[in-house]
Amino acid sequence: MELRTLQHHLLQGFMLLSLISNCYARFVVEKNSLTVTSPEKIKGTHDSAIGNFGIPQYGGSMAGVVVYPKENQKACKSFDDFGISFKSKPGSLPTFVLVDRGDCFFALKVWNVQQAGASAVLVADDIEEALITMDNPEEDSSSAKYIENITIPSALIEKTFGETLKKAISGGDMVNVNLDWREAVPHPDDRVEYELWTNSNDECGVKCDMLMAFVKDFKGAAQILEKGGYTQFTPHYITWYCPQAFTLSRQCKSQCINHGRYCAPDPEQDFSSGYEGKDVVIENLRQLCVFKVANETNRPWVWWDYVTDFQIRCPMKEKKYNKECADGVIKSLGLDAKRIEKCMGDPDADMENPVLKEEQDAQVGKGSRGDVTILPTLVVNNRQYRGKLAKGAVLKAICAGFEETTEPAVCLSGDVETNECLENNGGCWQDKAANLTACRDTFRGRVCECPLVDGVQFKGDGYSHCEPGGPGRCKINNGGCWHESRNGRAYSACLDNGDVKCQCPPGFKGDGVKSCEDIDECKEKRACQCPECSCKNTWGSYECTCNGDLLYIRDHDTCISKSGTEVRSAWAAMWVILIGLAMAGGGAYLVYKYRLRSYMDSEIRAIMAQYMPLDSQGEVPNHVSNDRA
């Protein structure tokens, strides 16, 4: 090995070790649940480590039968060579294949099993240890061909548990298990926070190609989720730092900025030609600042536009990976170039860059999330995503992070999940006539909830019954009450007064729910009973006519004449009555006036009699004494 190449690898190792020692590395193995449902003697739930390839069924679960092949037990060769197939027969449970660890890459084992028709792979560890993550092999053209095509989930299980499964299978037992990813991603509320640890370097091999393809493909879905307020996305970039003893070396100067504080590996793994690591660090910093400036103007989704446009317009292969090309992309997107430059700061300054320092701090694991040491890494609700970095697979993981019934429409599309309300209405209540159902499809399955229709809330258990309640309930299927139309007339037993009871309308009798029967008012003598009346029953009412030249008055159930003479006689009688009343009133008033006058006269005469004799009375005795002294 050349001395220059040796120095390069030693330095890269020192930089990585420096990062690890600085972060007190804590790698977290992401797990899902594996439950044995039969046979009875080995029933129980165990942890399994999610493979970092394939497509884990985030938010869902899979049930299957475990098979342990008699040949090719490490699955390092094609099962076609042994004439073995794991395809399930119609109507039977999917096949989960148990294989042993060792002799070849994890991903190759899973690929060979997938090719043989299995639905999932369980890899039994070959040593007693804590669970580890099955990762992709190092970039390799041969492995790249199958890694990107792995579509089934896989999981590593502990050696002891693997031996238990093998023993049960060899003993003739049918081993049924359930792989469950429903709690692999926390789902506390109606918004998902996720982040992508990425890199602007497009010359790092298979992983870089995979990352660039994912960003372009996922851009549309990411922007829809972000614009709708369903998600909060944050991009991140890994950087290393150069050990103090090497900060003045040519290698550190070419791979780092800010005097060895922030570094990236040489893109071509060659110090003597092409781009340098510091070019990657500067572009990473620019992309971070693009996000920050876009976020400050409430357009965080513009980051996806910049990154995809930069990949297309400024590739390393065409020697366009530079500031001039980046400025052209920034201008085309209407971003503030001056604010971005200010955010980036001076890469030659011997001081911390606040943006990159924040990124290095973020690499350290917090809470349930371990350190970020693998590129690319996706983190959903503070849990590292495991599996294929592809649009459909990642969308499943993000959708698994929503609280049930709050997920956006994109999570309920046929490409992402199966609508469980389509088969047998999910076992929920439904009214086929009104096209109403209590089944509500969710990403994790379905819930049976009585619906809200046109402002009317149905009430019930959601499984066997739902009834509309409250004002406006009669608008919805007549509130579940009887209703019928005949000959242009419509009647309903629903009363829109907030009451949930059904009552037959006037003219009908019955329970109001299933039936209301017409009342025959004529037969039951409820109306049209005057001597001159002739009664005819109708649906919901009746018709009454009078004999001769008489008019029926419905409110009084009587007949009156409708000729002019009778009308004049009626008016004459009315005038006679009115005149009589007036005369009686006048006479009473005269009597009242006379009596009042007489009374007043007598009172006045009595008062005056005390002071002078009147013609009508004799002498009044004098009671005053005239005795002399």
Side-chain angles (χ1 to χ4, degrees):
M1 183 182 292
E2 294 183 9
L3 179 60
R4 181 179 298 172
T5 306
L6 178 60
Q7 288 176 334
H8 166 74
H9 286 297
L10 286 172
L11 181 58
Q12 297 286 60
F14 278 128
M15 291 164 65
L16 180 59
L17 287 172
S18 298
L19 173 68
I20 293 172
S21 61
N22 181 58
C23 296
Y24 303 101
R26 183 177 63 89
F27 185 85
V28 172
V29 176
E30 300 297 342
K31 303 172 185 176
N32 67 316
S33 172
L34 191 159
T35 302
V36 179
T37 56
S38 70
E40 187 72 28
K41 59 187 176 184
I42 61 169
K43 270 188 176 181
T45 300
H46 305 262
D47 282 337
S48 57
I50 304 172
N52 201 26
F53 42 78
I55 303 179
Q57 300 300 310
Y58 281 104
S61 61
M62 289 178 65
V65 178
V66 181
V67 172
Y68 183 57
K70 294 181 179 180
E71 298 178 280
N72 198 26
Q73 294 175 337
K74 291 186 177 180
C76 291
K77 297 179 181 179
S78 171
F79 282 93
D80 286 342
D81 298 341
F82 301 88
I84 297 175
S85 173
F86 301 116
K87 291 181 180 179
S88 301
K89 295 180 180 179
S92 62
L93 286 172
T95 302
F96 295 173
V97 178
L98 175 65
V99 300
D100 295 324
R101 179 183 178 183
D103 293 354
C104 60
F105 294 129
F106 288 120
L108 180 59
K109 296 174 186 288
V110 177
W111 171 248
N112 286 332
V113 173
Q114 176 179 303
Q115 288 296 91
S119 299
V121 180
L122 304 179
V123 180
D125 206 340
D126 57 355
I127 59 174
E128 294 291 352
E129 62 175 347
L131 290 173
I132 63 170
T133 295
M134 298 186 295
D135 197 10
N136 285 313
E138 291 298 320
E139 291 86 349
D140 169 278
S141 58
S142 61
S143 63
K145 294 178 181 178
Y146 62 79
I147 289 174
E148 63 182 20
N149 293 315
I150 296 176
T151 58
I152 64 173
S154 59
L156 181 77
I157 61 175
E158 294 178 344
K159 180 181 179 181
T160 303
F161 179 44
E163 295 298 329
T164 301
L165 294 179
K166 293 174 190 176
K167 184 178 179 181
I169 294 169
S170 65
D173 290 321
M174 176 180 283
V175 178
N176 291 346
V177 302
N178 187 58
L179 282 170
D180 193 338
W181 296 267
R182 286 176 294 182
E183 299 304 321
V185 176
H187 44 98
D189 51 39
D190 60 356
R191 191 178 75 165
V192 171
E193 292 81 31
Y194 74 105
E195 54 196 55
L196 177 64
W197 289 83
T198 180
N199 198 342
S200 63
N201 179 5
D202 61 7
E203 282 291 294
C204 64
V206 176
K207 283 193 175 182
C208 281
D209 294 340
M210 179 180 62
L211 174 60
M212 301 303 168
F214 166 73
V215 171
K216 290 176 184 177
D217 195 31
F218 196 68
K219 168 187 166 183
Q223 291 185 324
I224 290 173
L225 291 169
E226 201 74 7
K227 289 177 181 179
Y230 300 112
T231 59
Q232 182 179 4
F233 168 73
T234 308
H236 287 293
Y237 295 79
I238 287 182
T239 61
W240 291 264
Y241 71 89
C242 190
Q244 185 68 35
F246 293 91
T247 54
L248 299 179
S249 68
R250 176 174 172 270
Q251 288 88 345
C252 275
K253 287 182 178 180
S254 66
Q255 309 308 309
C256 311
I257 66 172
N258 293 95
H259 288 245
R261 288 178 174 86
Y262 313 104
C263 312
D266 187 282
E268 299 89 2
Q269 302 293 309
D270 187 349
F271 288 117
S272 62
S273 64
Y275 288 97
E276 297 177 323
K278 68 179 181 181
D279 296 322
V280 176
V281 179
I282 290 173
E283 179 54 33
N284 288 349
L285 175 58
R286 182 179 289 109
Q287 293 187 6
L288 283 167
C289 287
V290 164
F291 176 77
K292 288 183 178 294
V293 171
N295 196 33
E296 289 167 1
T297 56
N298 297 317
R299 295 191 305 154
W301 51 84
V302 176
W303 177 88
W304 292 91
D305 291 315
Y306 175 83
V307 172
T308 52
D309 287 0
F310 184 82
Q311 290 174 18
I312 296 169
R313 297 170 59 180
C314 313
M316 286 183 173
K317 290 179 181 179
E318 298 180 15
K319 307 300 179 185
K320 295 179 180 180
Y321 186 93
N322 53 45
K323 182 180 183 302
E324 181 182 1
C325 188
D327 287 344
V329 178
I330 289 170
K331 183 178 180 180
S332 68
L333 295 175
L335 292 165
D336 191 331
K338 291 184 178 179
R339 288 178 65 183
I340 292 172
E341 287 291 330
K342 183 179 179 181
C343 169
M344 292 178 66
D346 182 6
D348 296 322
D350 187 8
M351 59 185 296
E352 295 282 4
N353 180 295
V355 176
L356 292 176
K357 180 65 170 66
E358 186 177 335
E359 291 299 291
Q360 284 188 343
D361 292 341
Q363 287 173 230
V364 182
K366 296 177 179 65
S368 59
R369 196 212 79 189
D371 298 327
V372 178
T373 58
I374 301 173
L375 273 179
T377 291
L378 185 80
V379 179
V380 181
N381 283 351
N382 211 38
R383 291 281 181 85
Q384 290 190 26
Y385 166 82
R386 296 285 182 253
K388 182 179 181 181
L389 198 65
K391 178 183 176 180
V394 169
L395 198 54
K396 278 181 177 287
I398 291 174
C399 291
F402 289 101
E403 183 181 10
E404 197 160 29
T405 74
T406 69
E407 53 272 274
V410 68
C411 292
L412 303 178
S413 66
D415 295 336
V416 180
E417 64 96 41
T418 303
N419 189 343
E420 296 193 20
C421 291
L422 296 180
E423 185 176 347
N424 194 34
N425 198 52
C428 305
W429 170 88
Q430 67 175 330
D431 184 336
K432 292 183 178 179
N435 195 27
L436 299 176
T437 176
C439 189
R440 184 174 177 184
D441 185 40
T442 69
F443 180 76
R444 283 183 166 75
R446 65 96 177 96
V447 294
C448 294
E449 291 180 348
C450 292
L452 176 66
V453 183
D454 294 336
V456 178
Q457 179 62 61
F458 281 67
K459 299 178 181 179
D461 62 10
Y463 293 92
S464 59
H465 74 282
C466 288
E467 296 177 353
R473 73 187 184 93
C474 293
K475 299 176 184 176
I476 310 298
N477 195 28
N478 287 280
C481 303
W482 169 90
H483 66 284
E484 191 174 338
S485 297
R486 290 186 190 176
N487 303 323
R489 287 187 177 184
Y491 290 97
S492 171
C494 185
L495 298 177
D496 197 359
N497 57 4
D499 193 358
V500 296
K501 293 182 179 179
C502 301
Q503 181 178 333
C504 290
F508 292 89
K509 61 183 177 179
D511 61 12
V513 179
K514 294 182 178 179
S515 67
C516 284
E517 297 178 359
D518 173 56
I519 296 173
D520 190 338
E521 289 86 355
C522 302
K523 185 176 181 180
E524 297 186 10
K525 297 183 179 181
R526 295 192 179 191
C528 198
Q529 297 300 303
C530 55
E532 305 88 354
C533 295
S534 177
C535 188
K536 178 183 177 182
N537 185 59
T538 62
W539 185 65
S541 186
Y542 64 94
E543 291 179 0
C544 191
T545 56
C546 297
N547 298 330
D549 192 25
L550 298 178
L551 179 68
Y552 180 67
I553 305 300
R554 194 181 186 94
D555 291 342
H556 299 283
D557 194 30
T558 188
C559 295
I560 63 171
S561 174
K562 50 185 177 182
S563 66
T565 303
E566 291 297 329
V567 172
R568 287 195 298 270
S569 298
W571 277 108
M574 186 177 292
W575 278 112
V576 169
I577 293 171
L578 290 174
I579 292 171
L581 290 173
M583 292 178 65
Y589 179 73
L590 291 175
V591 171
Y592 167 75
K593 290 288 287 184
Y594 174 77
R595 294 187 65 184
L596 180 63
R597 181 69 179 269
S598 299
Y599 174 77
M600 292 296 295
D601 285 348
S602 64
E603 287 295 314
I604 293 170
R605 290 169 64 87
I607 294 171
M608 292 181 65
Q610 295 181 20
Y611 298 95
M612 62 185 68
L614 299 178
D615 294 338
S616 60
Q617 66 182 41
E619 289 290 332
V620 178
N622 187 354
H623 296 287
V624 180
S625 176
N626 289 323
D627 289 349
R628 296 178 180 214

